[in-house]
Amino acid sequence: MIGHVDADCFYVSAERVRFPHLTGVPVGVIGNHGACIIAKSYEAKAAGIKTGTPIWEGVTLCPDAVYVKRDFRWYEALSRKMLELVKEVSPRVEFYSIDESFYEVEVIDPHGLQAAILERVGVPVSVGIAPTKTLAKLCSDSSKPFGVRIVTSDDERRELLAGIPVTEVCGIAGKAAIKLAAHRITTCDEFVAADNRLIRKLLTVVGERLWYELRGEPVLPVLISRAAHQRIARGGSIGRATRDPARVAAFVVRNVERVVEALFYYQVTCDQLTLSLDFRGAPGRAIRCSLLGSTADTGDLRDAALWLLPRVWRPASATVHYMHVIADRLRPLTDRQRSLFERRTVKDERIEFVKRSINDVVGRFALRSASTLPLTDVYDDPANSYDIPDIHGKTCF
C-alpha cells in the first residue's frame, strides 16, 4: 500500500503557523511581483478567488481578506519538517513537491500521522492510502480538507473513481484530455473501462501506466531520490512587462546565476543553452546554442545567454514578460567534455569559489553579477530571495 500526504492550502497554512491571527480569516498569498494570487484559503475560495486571480480583482471579490506575499524559504522549512515526520512512519518516502509526499505504508495509521504533523508542524494535511500512487493521490484529494481516505478493495476503488473528471489525474490535461474526450472518455471510471491499447495509442506508454494505476495495479514506484535531470531550467515571470534592454538583460543574467547554482548543486555541466522569451501580444520565441565544451561556468553561460538575447528578442520592440534559461545536455562534472578553446582560468575558478562562499554565509545573491544592477528593486525585496523551482530534491519537476 502507498500513502499520500498533501497539505491543505499549504502556503496559507504555513502563514497561519507564524501568524495565528490569520486562522479563520480569508487569506490570499500573492506571487513574486505582487500581481497575482497564487494560493488562497478556503474562505477566500468561497468568495470567488481562484489561483491566478489578479490582486486587484481579489480585493474586489473579497475586500475583507488579508493578502500576504509568499515566502518560499519559510514554506520549505515547514515542508522539510513534514517530510521528516513522514519518514518516522516509513523508510521509503518520496519528496514529491513542497506540500506533498508519497510513502510506502508499513502500518496503516493515517490519523496518527495526520495528528503528528498538525501538532509538531502546525499544518493540516489530508492523507490517502491505496494500492497505487495515483489512487492514493486521488484519495487525499477527495478527502480535503483535513480528511483521510483509504481504498483497499475493488468496490472502494470503483466508488472513488466514479464520476471524477479524468483531468483530476496528475498527468492528464490539455491535449491529452481533448484526445480522450474525442473517444467519450471524460471520467476516471470511463478511462479504466477503456481498452488499454486505445489509451496507449492516445497517450503513449505514460497514459497506459496511469490506466494500470487506476485499476489498482502499481507500476509507479515510490522514488526515494529524484532521477538525474535531463535539463535544468530557471526563469518565470519578470514582474512588470518591459521593453527596457538593460532590465531584460539583467533578468537573463539573474536566471543564468540561478542555473549555475543548480548545476553546482547537482555537480553537472551542460553542452547546450536555450533562451526562451514570452511577449505581450506576440508568440513566444526560443533559440538554442551549443557551447564550447561542457561548462557550468557563470561567464560562459552568461555570455552565451546574452549572445542569444538579441536573436530571440525579435522585434526588439516586443514587450517581454516571461523568460526561461535552460541548460541542456547535462553531463557529470567529472565526465565533462573539454574544449580546445577553453578560456576558464584558475582565477575564474577562484572568483566562483569566493562568490559561492560569501553567498553561503551572507545570503543568496549577496554577491552577484554587476549586470543585474538594473534589478535592484527585485533584490531589495526580501520576498524575492528564494524561488520555488530552486528547492532541491523534489521529484515532481
Side-chain angles (χ1 to χ4, degrees), residues 137-173:
K137 183 169 171 56
L138 284 178
C139 282
S140 60
D141 288 347
S142 65
S143 63
K144 283 182 170 297
F146 202 58
V148 166
R149 187 163 186 171
I150 303 173
V151 164
T152 58
S153 68
D154 272 348
D155 285 344
E156 291 170 336
R157 181 181 61 83
R158 281 190 283 270
E159 183 182 349
L160 170 69
L161 299 183
I164 293 183
V166 73
T167 49
E168 293 292 312
V169 177
C170 185
I172 299 179

Side-chain angles (χ1 to χ4, degrees), residues 10-283:
F10 179 54
Y11 298 166
V12 172
S13 297
E15 294 295 342
R16 286 171 170 168
V17 170
R18 58 181 176 182
F19 302 123
H21 66 280
L22 295 178
T23 302
V25 174
V27 177
V29 178
I30 56 179
N32 281 12
H33 305 287
C36 291
I37 297 167
I38 61 172
K40 71 282 181 190
S41 66
Y42 288 107
E43 297 88 352
K45 183 178 180 180
I49 293 177
K50 300 177 181 177
T51 300
T53 297
I55 181 63
W56 51 89
E57 290 182 14
V59 171
T60 302
L61 288 168
C62 193
D64 296 331
V66 176
Y67 297 94
V68 296
K69 199 161 188 176
R70 98 291 183 272
D71 180 355
F72 286 124
R73 187 177 290 278
W74 172 243
Y75 305 158
E76 184 187 9
L78 295 188
S79 173
R80 296 203 182 275
K81 282 187 178 180
M82 290 168 50
L83 188 67
E84 291 308 310
L85 286 176
V86 180
K87 287 180 177 177
E88 290 184 6
V89 301
S90 174
R92 295 183 61 81
V93 179
E94 177 178 341
F95 183 29
Y96 181 70
S97 71
I98 191 170
D99 59 347
E100 297 177 71
S101 59
F102 291 97
Y103 65 102
E104 289 186 358
V105 176
E106 293 203 331
V107 177
I108 298 180
D109 182 20
H111 293 287
L113 177 59
Q114 189 182 49
I117 292 175
L118 183 62
E119 178 185 352
R120 295 162 63 180
V121 184
V123 171
V125 301
S126 297
V127 183
I129 295 178
T132 71
K133 288 174 71 174
T134 306
L135 286 172
K137 183 169 171 56
L138 284 178
C139 282
S140 60
D141 288 347
S142 65
S143 63
K144 283 182 170 297
F146 202 58
V148 166
R149 187 163 186 171
I150 303 173
V151 164
T152 58
S153 68
D154 272 348
D155 285 344
E156 291 170 336
R157 181 181 61 83
R158 281 190 283 270
E159 183 182 349
L160 170 69
L161 299 183
I164 293 183
V166 73
T167 49
E168 293 292 312
V169 177
C170 185
I172 299 179
K175 292 180 181 178
I178 294 172
K179 289 179 183 177
L180 292 172
H183 291 265
R184 298 183 178 179
I185 301 171
T186 59
T187 63
C188 289
D189 44 342
E190 291 169 345
F191 185 80
V192 296
D195 191 305
N196 67 307
R197 290 169 295 185
L198 172 64
I199 299 300
R200 183 171 186 145
K201 181 179 178 182
L202 295 175
L203 307 183
T204 74
V205 68
V206 175
E208 190 180 23
R209 289 189 188 122
L210 296 175
W211 183 84
Y212 281 111
E213 285 264 314
L214 290 179
R215 291 169 60 89
E217 301 174 40
V219 294
L220 300 175
V222 172
L223 303 172
I224 59 174
S225 61
R226 66 158 298 135
H229 284 280
Q230 299 297 310
R231 61 188 59 83
I232 290 176
R234 291 291 183 266
S237 168
I238 66 169
R240 54 185 168 84
T242 182
R243 286 180 288 179
D244 179 355
R247 191 168 179 85
V248 173
F251 266 110
V252 169
V253 176
R254 169 180 165 83
N255 288 318
V256 165
E257 293 191 324
R258 291 173 58 196
V259 166
V260 170
E261 281 183 340
L263 293 174
F264 178 78
Y265 180 86
Y266 291 109
Q267 291 291 286
V268 293
T269 60
C270 63
D271 287 1
Q272 289 184 338
L273 194 74
T274 300
L275 176 63
S276 72
L277 300 181
D278 283 359
F279 308 103
R280 291 280 190 214

